Amino acid sequence: STPMFSRNDFSVWGFLKKCIGMELSKITMPIVFNEPLSFLQRITEYMEHTYLIHKACTLSDSIERMQLVAAFAVSAVASQWDRTGKPFNPLLGETFELTRDEEGYHMISEQVSHHPPISAFYSESLNQDFSFHGSIYPKLKFWGKSVEAEPKGTMTLELSKHREAYTWTNPMCCVHNVILGKLWIEQYGTVEIVNHSTGDKCVLNFKPCGMFGKELHRVEGHIQDKSKKKHQVIYGKWTECVYSIEPKVYEVNKKAEKKSGGDSKKHKQVKSVRGDDADEMPDVQETVTMIPGSTLLWRVAPRPPHSTQMYNFTNFAMTLNELEPGMIGVIAPTDCRLRPDIRAMENGDIDTASQEKERLEEKQRFARRERAKDEEEWSTRWFQQGNNRYTGAADWIYKGGYFDRRYSDLPDIY
């Protein structure tokens, strides 16, 4: 992959002024905002820490399993840190497959709707231990200085050996300083993971950064059983690590910390006084203090050394667009790896990337007009609309069959 180019020579403000308060999915964004991956590939990054699910499958205690599921839910959003490039909007019918024999799973995703943009995904372990699936409708709102993304959609994790299903929704994400200053990201909101078989629940609070930036990246929560008895406290940062500890020990520690005035260090105030300044990113405090008696559940892998020149990609993200020789003629013709605008951007050819992006979007509009003429409905290929078995919410259910490799009737989207 070729290093990225600077956005500074582009009048971002001139472009974005026109968009205040609008739903961003309706706006064609200039390519300089992008990173060379499709949103379908970005979703695949939920799978980076699959070893946590494999480990959960081996545990006999449901509270211990929940600890690892909670760690997985946090780890799944960890790659967002500093990822300020916008993934390409998938074209309707676009797909992405990932097979990871070493990590023992494969995954398929499909863009199942264009307005609103909805991406459905399904992954399962190669030995049928688990499946993890869901659909995401990333609702983006522009607030003048920041872009807020609400990832609507349910995550469902099924552990077959334990006959268990867990569901949750991901936290909100906000990109600050889209106009001016250094871009930075915070995630916030309550994530509630429910074990539908036992009634256990894990309530995770992704904290907003707060006035003095003390809370930036922090996650804190607890696991309770169906009688609401607290079993474990979970704490850490989604950018770093997650620990688990007994609630009593945690409470004692918190009290002692308050007494000793552990927070008396002067913190720089974050919110700007004048409305038109950049929101300064708080200095990231070093960092998660491990309380004695805690168990480490998960730690983030370090980014590769040249990550900052490569859209802040993780090692995992860097492999997603690789078109290996054995894939040609095997993966579906709708796979993102075959998408010419993303490929051109990855090769550092911005002009071609921009032209190709326009051509593909126009081709998609033309196909939609043709269908409207013939009063033809778009039919999805690998997923169908349905309801989540456990929550009853609207969802997209995998129909199966993708890996049979019968691709004769796929749409020509590139």
Side-chain angles (χ1 to χ4, degrees):
S1 180
T2 318
M4 55 197 273
F5 47 93
S6 157
R7 299 188 328 174
N8 301 342
D9 46 9
F10 173 80
S11 167
V12 182
W13 177 230
F15 174 77
L16 282 175
K17 259 199 313 233
K18 311 196 267 280
C19 313
I20 291 191
M22 285 174 75
E23 247 284 18
L24 288 187
S25 69
K26 301 263 197 310
I27 296 158
T28 307
M29 300 294 252
I31 205 161
V32 288
F33 287 117
N34 285 37
E35 62 172 29
L37 285 181
S38 163
F39 188 66
L40 295 180
Q41 291 165 306
R42 187 78 182 257
I43 289 177
T44 307
E45 296 187 50
Y46 290 161
M47 300 301 289
E48 184 175 344
H49 308 270
T50 303
Y51 69 89
L52 294 165
I53 306 180
H54 284 304
K55 196 171 162 193
C57 291
T58 66
L59 298 171
S60 54
D61 178 80
S62 76
I63 298 293
E64 286 184 19
R65 285 197 294 275
M66 178 63 96
Q67 290 188 156
L68 285 169
V69 174
F72 175 74
V74 174
S75 79
V77 297
S79 68
Q80 303 261 24
W81 176 63
D82 255 3
R83 285 284 285 286
T84 47
K86 176 187 170 308
F88 281 69
N89 287 337
L91 300 157
L92 186 58
E94 187 171 306
T95 59
F96 183 66
E97 70 168 86
L98 187 70
T99 299
R100 284 284 159 101
D101 293 318
E102 329 74 76
E103 283 94 50
Y105 70 87
H106 61 196
M107 180 170 189
I108 171 64
S109 54
E110 175 184 3
Q111 192 67 2
V112 289
S113 166
H114 184 61
H115 282 308
I118 301 173
S119 313
F121 69 91
Y122 178 85
S123 61
E124 63 188 356
S125 68
L126 301 174
N127 63 4
Q128 267 67 63
D129 264 358
F130 73 80
S131 68
F132 173 58
H133 50 90
S135 57
I136 303 238
Y137 159 25
K139 262 194 114 142
L140 300 177
K141 279 264 167 64
F142 175 53
W143 297 108
K145 269 191 277 190
S146 58
V147 171
E148 192 173 55
E150 180 188 357
K152 291 168 86 81
T154 307
M155 309 288 106
T156 304
L157 172 65
E158 298 175 86
L159 306 183
S160 40
K161 185 177 122 189
H162 300 287
R163 298 206 168 91
E164 268 179 348
Y166 299 81
T167 60
W168 67 91
T169 52
N170 283 324
M172 299 283 274
C173 180
C174 185
V175 182
H176 290 269
N177 299 337
V178 284
I179 310 297
L180 186 96
K182 184 180 166 8
L183 290 164
W184 59 281
I185 286 181
E186 65 175 326
Q187 299 197 80
Y188 45 86
T190 302
V191 170
E192 193 173 273
I193 306 170
V194 180
N195 178 334
H196 292 269
S197 319
T198 61
D200 298 341
K201 237 183 218 179
C202 178
V203 183
L204 290 173
N205 198 353
F206 284 72
K207 305 201 162 183
C209 84
M211 272 308 261
F212 299 102
K214 233 175 36 209
E215 301 290 318
L216 185 67
H217 302 157
R218 277 192 196 286
V219 181
E220 196 181 86
H222 66 272
I223 296 171
Q224 59 184 49
D225 62 25
K226 63 170 183 283
S227 63
K228 293 205 161 71
K229 176 178 187 285
K230 267 192 194 187
H231 286 263
Q232 287 290 3
V233 166
I234 307 274
Y235 69 94
K237 289 185 176 183
W238 59 265
T239 48
E240 278 174 48
C241 58
V242 176
Y243 288 99
S244 153
I245 192 168
E246 285 177 13
K248 284 198 182 76
V249 185
Y250 188 73
E251 290 313 315
V252 167
N253 186 274
K254 274 217 109 106
K255 283 195 181 105
E257 206 181 73
K258 273 213 172 84
K259 249 202 180 110
S260 69
D263 283 344
S264 62
K265 292 197 287 304
K266 286 273 180 285
H267 292 289
K268 208 164 72 183
Q269 191 167 341
V270 175
K271 293 285 177 262
S272 52
V273 187
R274 290 198 3 254
D276 53 355
D277 297 347
D279 288 334
E280 289 251 353
M281 175 173 171
D283 298 331
V284 176
Q285 310 290 316
E286 266 307 319
T287 175
V288 180
T289 315
M290 186 190 132
I291 300 165
S294 304
T295 307
L296 177 70
L297 299 176
W298 162 78
R299 170 164 280 136
V300 74
R303 302 251 167 133
H306 54 304
S307 175
T308 46
Q309 285 90 60
M310 298 292 185
Y311 307 92
N312 293 327
F313 279 5
T314 58
N315 279 315
F316 184 89
M318 286 194 183
T319 63
L320 293 177
N321 215 32
E322 270 172 36
L323 193 51
E324 290 152 31
M327 291 176 176
I328 310 279
V330 176
I331 58 176
T334 46
D335 195 284
C336 317
R337 295 177 186 88
L338 304 168
R339 200 178 144 161
D341 51 354
I342 297 181
R343 184 62 61 201
M345 183 177 193
E346 189 177 289
N347 296 335
D349 184 348
I350 273 307
D351 296 337
T352 305
S354 207
Q355 284 155 16
E356 283 295 283
K357 181 169 175 280
E358 263 170 57
R359 180 184 68 79
L360 293 174
E361 284 162 358
E362 186 42 54
K363 181 169 180 160
Q364 176 166 255
R365 283 189 287 270
F366 177 76
R368 192 168 56 227
R369 287 195 298 269
E370 290 298 293
R371 281 197 304 278
K373 252 191 249 169
D374 305 337
E375 295 182 4
E376 206 184 297
E377 285 289 303
W378 173 266
S379 62
T380 53
R381 185 64 174 81
W382 310 110
F383 292 83
Q384 63 195 27
Q385 258 176 315
N387 291 81
N388 187 292
R389 279 175 59 180
Y390 308 102
T391 64
D395 207 346
W396 286 84
I397 315 300
Y398 179 53
K399 291 196 266 194
Y402 175 87
F403 291 98
D404 300 343
R405 308 259 173 234
R406 288 197 290 273
Y407 302 142
S408 52
D409 54 347
L410 291 186
D412 165 26
I413 56 176
Y414 304 140

